[in-house]
Amino acid sequence: MRASNHLIGLLNFLTFLLSAVILGGGIWLSSRANNTDCLKFLQWPLIVIGAAIMVVSLAGFTGACYRNTFLMWLYLFAMFFIIAALVGFIIFAYAVTDKGSGRPVMNKGYLEYYLRDYSGWLKDRVVDDDYWANIRSCLRDSKVCSKMGRSFNGVPESFEMFSMRKLSPIQSGCCKPPTDCGFVYVNETLWNIEGGTVGLGTDTDCPRWSNDQQQLCYQCDSCKAGVLDSLKKSWRKVSVINIVVLILLVIFYVIGCAAFRNNKRIDNDEPYGEARMTKAQPSRIQL
């Protein structure tokens, strides 16, 4: 009995540590939302799941230490639904981020992003006017574009150097005009529109570009696509961690169920691993 309780206590302690990992992933997504991704509601399911695992694991740990059968039963019951919720979250995360990616550009180090390459629930959420107004404001406040500037020995980088940079999806989609527009480079966020192909209608984002540092390409479809791709990369990184955590949780849950059944068997004074027989007393024969 004591060994089973120690095992359950150890498993709940490890589960508590795993909940900290999930919470860390949610907090990391939250910091990404505040600084770059700017879509702040996506991290909350992960934070809620992590907090729930932490509370439930503490209940299981207490139940194991004090041999409280009700707390142990509550722990196993709640953990089953938490595992199911984590499975659903992982499936959802992959389902809403399965389409779309940047396109390579000839003789460029960065990728171009097109909104038509993305689809589904997450795209509909991002392009919604109310949500996009908040995202656009967040992008301006994060100053992600103003941080792009580089200089070498006091000389701003040339167009050739800029063209070879590995820009983030948001930097490529929101902070510069699409390459198809053919605008003339002045610096990272300032482009000469004269001589470009904006009048030819090669890209609907071309007339949306503005050299106003508060506007840039924040109204462009390429900016929305850049946000989507940034979200996709963030969610995929967290999902890999969640899959590892899920596998460990399932293993701990199965072991915990076996230990709990063993505890109940001992509490009920049931035989374990051997057959128990009672020896009948022979009756006395009277002559």
Side-chain angles (χ1 to χ4, degrees), residues 15 43 52 65 72-73 90 92-93 98 121 141 159 186 191 210 225 228 245 248 259-260 273 276 280 282:
T15 304
Q43 74 273 11
C65 290
M72 285 304 306
W73 179 87
I90 292 172
F92 173 77
D98 67 328
W121 176 87
D141 294 341
F159 176 67
V186 178
W191 298 73
S210 172
L228 285 168
V245 171
L248 294 175
F260 180 66
R276 180 179 294 178

mmCIF file of all heavy atoms in Angstrom, residues 15 43 52 65 72-73 90 92-93 98 121 141 159 186 191 210 225 228 245 248 259-260 273 276 280 282:
data_model
loop_
_atom_site.group_PDB
_atom_site.id
_atom_site.type_symbol
_atom_site.label_atom_id
_atom_site.label_comp_id
_atom_site.label_asym_id
_atom_site.label_seq_id
_atom_site.Cartn_x
_atom_site.Cartn_y
_atom_site.Cartn_z
ATOM 1 N N THR A 15 3.648 15.095 -12.982
ATOM 2 C CA THR A 15 2.564 15.748 -13.718
ATOM 3 C C THR A 15 2.535 17.243 -13.428
ATOM 4 O O THR A 15 2.285 18.065 -14.317
ATOM 5 C CB THR A 15 1.212 15.118 -13.346
ATOM 6 O OG1 THR A 15 1.258 13.715 -13.595
ATOM 7 C CG2 THR A 15 0.086 15.721 -14.172
ATOM 8 N N GLN A 43 -3.625 31.997 -26.953
ATOM 9 C CA GLN A 43 -2.822 31.335 -25.943
ATOM 10 C C GLN A 43 -3.641 30.897 -24.732
ATOM 11 O O GLN A 43 -3.184 30.074 -23.941
ATOM 12 C CB GLN A 43 -1.673 32.244 -25.478
ATOM 13 C CG GLN A 43 -2.098 33.384 -24.571
ATOM 14 C CD GLN A 43 -2.518 34.605 -25.375
ATOM 15 O OE1 GLN A 43 -2.689 34.534 -26.581
ATOM 16 N NE2 GLN A 43 -2.674 35.724 -24.704
ATOM 17 N N ALA A 52 -5.186 23.845 -15.138
ATOM 18 C CA ALA A 52 -6.042 22.748 -14.686
ATOM 19 C C ALA A 52 -5.214 21.519 -14.307
ATOM 20 O O ALA A 52 -5.466 20.868 -13.286
ATOM 21 C CB ALA A 52 -7.050 22.394 -15.780
ATOM 22 N N CYS A 65 -0.661 11.246 -0.550
ATOM 23 C CA CYS A 65 0.053 11.416 0.725
ATOM 24 C C CYS A 65 -0.831 11.067 1.923
ATOM 25 O O CYS A 65 -0.365 10.493 2.904
ATOM 26 C CB CYS A 65 0.560 12.849 0.848
ATOM 27 S SG CYS A 65 1.912 13.250 -0.294
ATOM 28 N N MET A 72 -8.119 10.824 -4.900
ATOM 29 C CA MET A 72 -7.476 10.041 -5.949
ATOM 30 C C MET A 72 -8.451 9.757 -7.082
ATOM 31 O O MET A 72 -8.096 9.822 -8.266
ATOM 32 C CB MET A 72 -6.936 8.734 -5.377
ATOM 33 C CG MET A 72 -5.680 8.902 -4.544
ATOM 34 S SD MET A 72 -4.376 9.725 -5.479
ATOM 35 C CE MET A 72 -4.293 8.676 -6.922
ATOM 36 N N TRP A 73 -9.685 9.418 -6.718
ATOM 37 C CA TRP A 73 -10.696 9.168 -7.751
ATOM 38 C C TRP A 73 -10.971 10.441 -8.543
ATOM 39 O O TRP A 73 -11.097 10.421 -9.767
ATOM 40 C CB TRP A 73 -11.986 8.675 -7.087
ATOM 41 C CG TRP A 73 -13.088 8.407 -8.072
ATOM 42 C CD1 TRP A 73 -13.322 7.256 -8.752
ATOM 43 C CD2 TRP A 73 -14.096 9.332 -8.503
ATOM 44 N NE1 TRP A 73 -14.416 7.396 -9.578
ATOM 45 C CE2 TRP A 73 -14.911 8.656 -9.447
ATOM 46 C CE3 TRP A 73 -14.398 10.655 -8.180
ATOM 47 C CZ2 TRP A 73 -15.994 9.271 -10.059
ATOM 48 C CZ3 TRP A 73 -15.478 11.269 -8.799
ATOM 49 C CH2 TRP A 73 -16.262 10.577 -9.722
ATOM 50 N N ILE A 90 -4.446 20.020 -29.558
ATOM 51 C CA ILE A 90 -3.377 19.722 -30.506
ATOM 52 C C ILE A 90 -3.948 19.533 -31.908
ATOM 53 O O ILE A 90 -3.413 20.056 -32.897
ATOM 54 C CB ILE A 90 -2.603 18.466 -30.060
ATOM 55 C CG1 ILE A 90 -1.820 18.758 -28.771
ATOM 56 C CG2 ILE A 90 -1.651 17.994 -31.158
ATOM 57 C CD1 ILE A 90 -1.186 17.536 -28.152
ATOM 58 N N PHE A 92 -6.777 20.727 -33.054
ATOM 59 C CA PHE A 92 -7.254 22.038 -33.505
ATOM 60 C C PHE A 92 -6.099 22.908 -33.992
ATOM 61 O O PHE A 92 -6.191 23.561 -35.032
ATOM 62 C CB PHE A 92 -7.997 22.727 -32.357
ATOM 63 C CG PHE A 92 -8.391 24.146 -32.653
ATOM 64 C CD1 PHE A 92 -9.476 24.423 -33.465
ATOM 65 C CD2 PHE A 92 -7.672 25.207 -32.119
ATOM 66 C CE1 PHE A 92 -9.842 25.737 -33.741
ATOM 67 C CE2 PHE A 92 -8.031 26.512 -32.387
ATOM 68 C CZ PHE A 92 -9.119 26.778 -33.192
ATOM 69 N N ALA A 93 -4.994 22.918 -33.228
ATOM 70 C CA ALA A 93 -3.850 23.752 -33.585
ATOM 71 C C ALA A 93 -3.281 23.354 -34.946
ATOM 72 O O ALA A 93 -2.931 24.214 -35.757
ATOM 73 C CB ALA A 93 -2.765 23.657 -32.509
ATOM 74 N N ASP A 98 -2.649 24.328 -41.055
ATOM 75 C CA ASP A 98 -2.095 23.331 -41.978
ATOM 76 C C ASP A 98 -1.834 23.879 -43.375
ATOM 77 O O ASP A 98 -1.127 23.255 -44.158
ATOM 78 C CB ASP A 98 -3.024 22.117 -42.072
ATOM 79 C CG ASP A 98 -4.363 22.458 -42.732
ATOM 80 O OD1 ASP A 98 -4.815 23.603 -42.572
ATOM 81 O OD2 ASP A 98 -4.944 21.588 -43.404
ATOM 82 N N TRP A 121 -10.451 28.677 -40.462
ATOM 83 C CA TRP A 121 -10.938 29.449 -39.323
ATOM 84 C C TRP A 121 -9.976 30.554 -38.935
ATOM 85 O O TRP A 121 -10.398 31.679 -38.660
ATOM 86 C CB TRP A 121 -11.164 28.497 -38.151
ATOM 87 C CG TRP A 121 -11.579 29.175 -36.887
ATOM 88 C CD1 TRP A 121 -12.840 29.498 -36.494
ATOM 89 C CD2 TRP A 121 -10.706 29.625 -35.824
ATOM 90 N NE1 TRP A 121 -12.826 30.113 -35.264
ATOM 91 C CE2 TRP A 121 -11.529 30.206 -34.835
ATOM 92 C CE3 TRP A 121 -9.323 29.582 -35.632
ATOM 93 C CZ2 TRP A 121 -11.010 30.738 -33.661
ATOM 94 C CZ3 TRP A 121 -8.803 30.125 -34.469
ATOM 95 C CH2 TRP A 121 -9.638 30.687 -33.493
ATOM 96 N N ASP A 141 2.358 49.495 -32.434
ATOM 97 C CA ASP A 141 2.887 49.706 -31.089
ATOM 98 C C ASP A 141 4.138 48.862 -30.827
ATOM 99 O O ASP A 141 4.997 49.256 -30.036
ATOM 100 C CB ASP A 141 1.820 49.391 -30.034
ATOM 101 C CG ASP A 141 0.651 50.367 -30.086
ATOM 102 O OD1 ASP A 141 0.822 51.461 -30.666
ATOM 103 O OD2 ASP A 141 -0.427 50.024 -29.562
ATOM 104 N N PHE A 159 20.520 48.129 -51.067
ATOM 105 C CA PHE A 159 19.414 47.286 -51.502
ATOM 106 C C PHE A 159 19.856 45.837 -51.656
ATOM 107 O O PHE A 159 19.108 44.909 -51.335
ATOM 108 C CB PHE A 159 18.853 47.813 -52.835
ATOM 109 C CG PHE A 159 17.772 46.945 -53.407
ATOM 110 C CD1 PHE A 159 16.544 46.814 -52.764
ATOM 111 C CD2 PHE A 159 17.972 46.237 -54.589
ATOM 112 C CE1 PHE A 159 15.542 46.004 -53.281
ATOM 113 C CE2 PHE A 159 16.967 45.431 -55.113
ATOM 114 C CZ PHE A 159 15.762 45.312 -54.471
ATOM 115 N N VAL A 186 14.750 52.908 -50.955
ATOM 116 C CA VAL A 186 15.444 54.030 -50.336
ATOM 117 C C VAL A 186 16.068 53.554 -49.021
ATOM 118 O O VAL A 186 17.261 53.702 -48.795
ATOM 119 C CB VAL A 186 14.506 55.220 -50.101
ATOM 120 C CG1 VAL A 186 15.256 56.365 -49.406
ATOM 121 C CG2 VAL A 186 13.891 55.691 -51.416
ATOM 122 N N TRP A 191 10.251 53.631 -49.669
ATOM 123 C CA TRP A 191 10.399 53.193 -51.061
ATOM 124 C C TRP A 191 9.855 54.270 -51.984
ATOM 125 O O TRP A 191 8.809 54.875 -51.711
ATOM 126 C CB TRP A 191 9.653 51.878 -51.288
ATOM 127 C CG TRP A 191 10.188 50.740 -50.456
ATOM 128 C CD1 TRP A 191 10.035 50.561 -49.114
ATOM 129 C CD2 TRP A 191 10.959 49.637 -50.928
ATOM 130 N NE1 TRP A 191 10.664 49.412 -48.716
ATOM 131 C CE2 TRP A 191 11.238 48.821 -49.801
ATOM 132 C CE3 TRP A 191 11.437 49.250 -52.179
ATOM 133 C CZ2 TRP A 191 11.976 47.650 -49.890
ATOM 134 C CZ3 TRP A 191 12.166 48.081 -52.285
ATOM 135 C CH2 TRP A 191 12.441 47.298 -51.151
ATOM 136 N N SER A 210 2.168 52.697 -48.157
ATOM 137 C CA SER A 210 2.353 54.110 -47.825
ATOM 138 C C SER A 210 3.709 54.277 -47.155
ATOM 139 O O SER A 210 4.107 53.459 -46.316
ATOM 140 C CB SER A 210 1.247 54.588 -46.883
ATOM 141 O OG SER A 210 1.514 55.898 -46.416
ATOM 142 N N ALA A 225 -1.265 37.936 -44.312
ATOM 143 C CA ALA A 225 -0.655 36.631 -44.562
ATOM 144 C C ALA A 225 0.594 36.450 -43.695
ATOM 145 O O ALA A 225 0.859 35.350 -43.195
ATOM 146 C CB ALA A 225 -0.299 36.489 -46.039
ATOM 147 N N LEU A 228 -0.498 35.514 -40.252
ATOM 148 C CA LEU A 228 -0.935 34.123 -40.249
ATOM 149 C C LEU A 228 0.252 33.166 -40.224
ATOM 150 O O LEU A 228 0.254 32.171 -39.488
ATOM 151 C CB LEU A 228 -1.811 33.840 -41.471
ATOM 152 C CG LEU A 228 -3.230 34.390 -41.437
ATOM 153 C CD1 LEU A 228 -3.879 34.296 -42.818
ATOM 154 C CD2 LEU A 228 -4.069 33.619 -40.423
ATOM 155 N N VAL A 245 4.322 16.177 -24.045
ATOM 156 C CA VAL A 245 3.653 16.220 -22.747
ATOM 157 C C VAL A 245 2.465 15.271 -22.735
ATOM 158 O O VAL A 245 2.227 14.559 -21.742
ATOM 159 C CB VAL A 245 3.211 17.659 -22.419
ATOM 160 C CG1 VAL A 245 2.318 17.688 -21.184
ATOM 161 C CG2 VAL A 245 4.427 18.546 -22.202
ATOM 162 N N LEU A 248 3.544 11.645 -22.242
ATOM 163 C CA LEU A 248 3.935 11.403 -20.851
ATOM 164 C C LEU A 248 2.718 11.372 -19.929
ATOM 165 O O LEU A 248 2.637 10.530 -19.022
ATOM 166 C CB LEU A 248 4.925 12.481 -20.399
ATOM 167 C CG LEU A 248 6.289 12.469 -21.095
ATOM 168 C CD1 LEU A 248 7.128 13.662 -20.635
ATOM 169 C CD2 LEU A 248 7.026 11.169 -20.836
ATOM 170 N N ALA A 259 -2.040 1.741 -10.085
ATOM 171 C CA ALA A 259 -1.714 1.896 -8.671
ATOM 172 C C ALA A 259 -2.967 2.151 -7.840
ATOM 173 O O ALA A 259 -3.093 1.648 -6.715
ATOM 174 C CB ALA A 259 -0.720 3.036 -8.493
ATOM 175 N N PHE A 260 -3.916 2.907 -8.391
ATOM 176 C CA PHE A 260 -5.159 3.187 -7.676
ATOM 177 C C PHE A 260 -5.976 1.912 -7.472
ATOM 178 O O PHE A 260 -6.532 1.669 -6.396
ATOM 179 C CB PHE A 260 -5.964 4.220 -8.452
ATOM 180 C CG PHE A 260 -7.279 4.582 -7.807
ATOM 181 C CD1 PHE A 260 -7.308 5.253 -6.591
ATOM 182 C CD2 PHE A 260 -8.480 4.257 -8.418
ATOM 183 C CE1 PHE A 260 -8.512 5.598 -5.996
ATOM 184 C CE2 PHE A 260 -9.678 4.599 -7.824
ATOM 185 C CZ PHE A 260 -9.701 5.267 -6.616
ATOM 186 N N GLY A 273 -2.404 -11.608 -6.368
ATOM 187 C CA GLY A 273 -1.331 -12.450 -6.880
ATOM 188 C C GLY A 273 -1.314 -13.849 -6.299
ATOM 189 O O GLY A 273 -0.430 -14.634 -6.591
ATOM 190 N N ARG A 276 -6.488 -17.360 -2.066
ATOM 191 C CA ARG A 276 -6.689 -17.495 -0.624
ATOM 192 C C ARG A 276 -7.758 -18.539 -0.373
ATOM 193 O O ARG A 276 -8.863 -18.435 -0.878
ATOM 194 C CB ARG A 276 -7.091 -16.145 -0.029
ATOM 195 C CG ARG A 276 -7.317 -16.203 1.476
ATOM 196 C CD ARG A 276 -7.693 -14.859 2.032
ATOM 197 N NE ARG A 276 -6.586 -13.921 1.897
ATOM 198 C CZ ARG A 276 -6.676 -12.661 2.278
ATOM 199 N NH1 ARG A 276 -7.809 -12.201 2.780
ATOM 200 N NH2 ARG A 276 -5.632 -11.857 2.126
ATOM 201 N N ALA A 280 -11.377 -25.889 6.178
ATOM 202 C CA ALA A 280 -12.558 -26.260 6.948
ATOM 203 C C ALA A 280 -12.159 -27.185 8.089
ATOM 204 O O ALA A 280 -11.306 -28.063 7.931
ATOM 205 C CB ALA A 280 -13.588 -26.948 6.050
ATOM 206 N N PRO A 282 -12.672 -30.268 10.401
ATOM 207 C CA PRO A 282 -13.425 -31.541 10.234
ATOM 208 C C PRO A 282 -14.467 -31.688 11.332
ATOM 209 O O PRO A 282 -14.224 -31.334 12.490
ATOM 210 C CB PRO A 282 -12.329 -32.600 10.337
ATOM 211 C CG PRO A 282 -11.235 -31.957 11.115
ATOM 212 C CD PRO A 282 -11.268 -30.510 10.753
#
